[in-house]
Amino acid sequence: MWTGAILAGGRARRLGGLNKAGLTLLPDRASMLDRLVTRLSHVVDRTVIIANDADRFRSAGVPVIGDLAPEGNALGALYTAVHSATTEWTLVVACDMPFVSEPLLAHLVDVGRTADIAIPRTARGYEPLCATYSRRSASELLRLIDEKRFRLSDVARIPGLNVREVGRDELNI
C-alpha cells in the first residue's frame, strides 16, 4: 500500500505569494493540484495534501494534513508526509510539478518498494520532492530538521538508509 503526498505549503516567494497549486493550465484548465491528484489516484492507494495553511486546500477532495514542522521548510513538509502516512511507503510530489508523468510516478513506486528512498537524479542533481520514502526514513528526516540541515539534497545521503538513485536513463518514461 502506498500514500501519495502532494506538498502544497510553500510561500511562493517568486510568485509574490500566489497559490501555485491553484494555477490553471491549458488546454484543460485544470489546476496544478487537480492534475497531480488525478495522476496520483492512478498510481497510489491514498492521496493527501501537506500544507502550512490546511484550510486553503480543504476543497481538493483528499485529506489535508497540516505541516508538523513548518520551521523545517520543504524538509518539514517532507517529514510530515512520511510521518503521517498510514502506509509503509510514500510517494512525494511537489505541487508545482504539473507535468510529471504517470509512467514516471509508477516507475518510482515500482523501484521504491525495495528502498528506503528512491530518488531521481537529473543533470541538475537530486529531485527529493518527486521521490519515494519508506516509513523508516521519517526519523532520519526529523533528525536533519533537528540538526537544522535543511538542504533537500542531504536526504539522498542519509547514512544507514537504502537509497536507490533513479538515473537519467530511467527518467525518459
Side-chain angles (χ1 to χ4, degrees), residues 17-171:
L18 186 65
N19 176 13
K20 293 184 283 188
L23 294 176
T24 58
L25 303 165
L26 296 175
D28 59 1
R29 301 194 82 40
S31 73
M32 291 205 296
L33 182 65
D34 290 341
R35 281 178 181 227
L36 286 174
V37 168
T38 299
R39 287 194 177 118
L40 284 172
S41 73
H42 297 135
V43 177
V44 297
D45 305 293
R46 176 178 189 251
T47 300
V48 299
I49 296 170
I50 308 299
N52 292 346
D53 180 5
D55 290 335
R56 178 185 266 188
F57 301 99
R58 295 272 181 230
S59 64
V62 298
V64 182
I65 299 169
D67 196 340
L68 298 174
E71 73 284 354
N73 302 320
L75 185 60
L78 178 57
Y79 163 73
T80 300
V82 177
H83 174 77
S84 302
T86 57
T87 57
E88 180 62 31
W89 292 284
T90 305
L91 170 59
V92 173
V93 183
C95 75
D96 59 358
M97 296 182 161
F99 301 112
V100 67
S101 74
E102 210 171 289
L104 173 61
L105 296 174
H107 181 67
L108 288 173
V109 165
D110 187 47
V111 299
R113 294 178 200 282
T114 60
D116 291 312
I117 299 173
I119 187 168
R121 185 170 188 174
T122 67
R124 294 182 346 192
Y126 290 108
E127 298 293 340
L129 298 184
C130 184
T132 67
Y133 298 85
S134 72
R135 176 168 295 291
R136 204 180 104 137
S137 66
S139 61
E140 294 301 318
L141 296 171
L142 182 59
R143 185 180 55 76
L144 290 175
I145 293 168
D146 289 344
E147 293 174 359
K148 302 206 182 314
R149 293 174 50 199
F150 301 123
R151 287 185 36 200
L152 285 171
S153 59
D154 285 351
V155 304
R157 297 179 201 79
I158 296 175
L161 293 182
N162 174 12
V163 178
R164 164 68 156 78
E165 186 176 296
V166 179
R168 289 187 288 187
D169 58 319
E170 296 176 79
L171 299 176

